[in-house]
Amino acid sequence: MMTLVSAVLSGVYLSLFRRGLVLFAVGVLLALVLNLLQVQRNVTLFPDQVVATLFSSAWWVPLCCGSAAAVVGLLYPFIDRHLGEPHKFKREWASVMRCIAVFVGINHASAKLDFANNIQLSLTLAALSLGLWWTFDRSRSGFGLGVTIAFLATIVTQVLVYNGIYQYTSPDFLYVRSWLPCIFFSGGVTVGNIGRQLAMVNVEKSHND
C-alpha cells in the first residue's frame, strides 16, 4: 500500500515538475520577445550596466518572468479543482495558440499605438484584455486570478522602478504606465490557459495509461 502511495506521489511531483519546466520556458521566451519590443520603442529603460546582450534584456527579467509563468500556470488548474469548477471552455491547443497570439498583439499595441495620452491607451488595452478573457476563458476563477496577478505584479514593478532597477518613459501611474495592469492581466489569463491545457493533457495521458 505504501509503495503504491509513493508511486502515485512520485508521479504527481514528476508531472508538476514537467509542467512547471514547460511553463518556465514559455515565460522566458515571452519575456525576451516582449521586453525587446518595449526596449526598442523606448517604453522601458534599463541602466547600461545591467543590460545584457541577449535581446537587450537585463539578466533577471527572463528568470523572473519564467518563474512567475510556472507559478501562475500551475496555480490556475489547482484553483479550478479547488473550486470544483473544471475549466472546459475552448480546451484545445489551437485556442491556446490563438490566445498567445492575441496577448502578443496586446503587448505590441502597448508599444506601437499612438494616443493623445496614456489614459486613452490604457482604456483601449483594458478593453482588449477583457476581450481576451471573454474569448478564451470566461471563468470566474480566471478573472479573479487575472486581477490578483495584475495587482501584485504592478506593485512589484512599481517597487523595482522606485528603487531604480529600471524605468518607464512617460510614467503616469506611480512610476509606471497606467496600462501596465492590463498587460499583467492578459498575461495571467494567457499563461493560465497554457497551464490548464498542460494539466488536461497530463490527465488524459494518465487515463490512457
Side-chain angles (χ1 to χ4, degrees), residues 162-184:
Y162 176 78
N163 286 281
I165 305 301
Y166 71 108
Q167 62 180 313
Y168 282 84
T169 56
S170 304
D172 64 323
F173 180 56
L174 297 178
Y175 311 109
V176 300
R177 296 283 188 94
S178 56
W179 45 257
L180 192 61
C182 304
I183 300 298
F184 288 136

Side-chain angles (χ1 to χ4, degrees), residues 189-203:
V189 173
T190 300
V191 173
N193 279 343
I194 298 173
R196 284 166 164 167
Q197 190 66 25
L198 288 172
M200 187 180 73
V201 170
N202 180 72
V203 169

Side-chain angles (χ1 to χ4, degrees), residues 15-28 66 70 74 198:
S15 171
L16 288 174
F17 176 77
R18 288 174 175 172
R19 285 155 51 197
L21 195 61
V22 172
L23 289 163
F24 179 85
V26 171
V28 168
L74 294 175
L198 288 172

Side-chain angles (χ1 to χ4, degrees), residues 23-39 44-47 49-70 103 107 153 156-157 160-161 164-168 180 183-184:
L23 289 163
F24 179 85
V26 171
V28 168
L29 180 60
L30 287 175
L32 291 174
V33 173
L34 300 178
N35 185 72
L36 176 62
L37 175 64
Q38 300 288 342
V39 170
T44 55
L45 302 173
F46 291 92
Q49 64 269 24
V50 303
V51 175
T53 57
L54 183 61
F55 289 90
S56 300
S57 174
W59 64 268
W60 51 267
V61 172
L63 294 180
C64 289
C65 292
S67 300
F103 171 59
N107 278 268
V156 171
T157 303
L160 292 176
V161 173
I165 305 301
Y166 71 108
Q167 62 180 313
Y168 282 84
L180 192 61
I183 300 298
F184 288 136

Side-chain angles (χ1 to χ4, degrees), residues 16-196:
L16 288 174
F17 176 77
R18 288 174 175 172
R19 285 155 51 197
L21 195 61
V22 172
L23 289 163
F24 179 85
V26 171
V28 168
L29 180 60
L30 287 175
L32 291 174
V33 173
L34 300 178
N35 185 72
L36 176 62
L37 175 64
Q38 300 288 342
V39 170
Q40 286 182 338
R41 296 289 294 182
N42 292 321
V43 175
T44 55
L45 302 173
F46 291 92
D48 293 337
Q49 64 269 24
V50 303
V51 175
T53 57
L54 183 61
F55 289 90
S56 300
S57 174
W59 64 268
W60 51 267
V61 172
L63 294 180
C64 289
C65 292
S67 300
V71 172
V72 171
L74 294 175
L75 187 60
Y76 263 74
F78 174 80
I79 295 297
D80 289 340
R81 291 194 300 270
H82 181 72
L83 295 178
E85 297 178 352
H87 183 69
K88 298 180 180 180
F89 182 71
K90 290 190 174 182
R91 295 299 300 271
E92 67 274 344
W93 279 113
S95 178
V96 172
M97 297 306 296
R98 287 193 294 269
C99 184
I100 295 173
V102 173
F103 171 59
V104 172
I106 292 174
N107 278 268
H108 189 268
S110 70
K112 291 288 188 178
L113 294 181
D114 293 322
F115 282 80
N117 54 61
N118 281 337
I119 299 300
Q120 293 181 4
L121 177 58
S122 299
L123 292 175
T124 300
L125 294 182
L128 292 174
S129 298
L130 288 174
L132 180 144
W133 168 79
W134 181 257
T135 303
F136 300 104
D137 192 318
R138 296 191 189 181
S139 68
R140 290 179 298 174
S141 59
F143 182 83
L145 280 171
V147 171
T148 302
I149 291 166
F151 176 75
L152 295 177
T154 300
I155 290 179
V156 171
T157 303
Q158 288 169 334
V159 171
L160 292 176
V161 173
Y162 176 78
N163 286 281
I165 305 301
Y166 71 108
Q167 62 180 313
Y168 282 84
T169 56
S170 304
D172 64 323
F173 180 56
L174 297 178
Y175 311 109
V176 300
R177 296 283 188 94
S178 56
W179 45 257
L180 192 61
C182 304
I183 300 298
F184 288 136
F185 174 83
S186 58
V189 173
T190 300
V191 173
N193 279 343
I194 298 173
R196 284 166 164 167

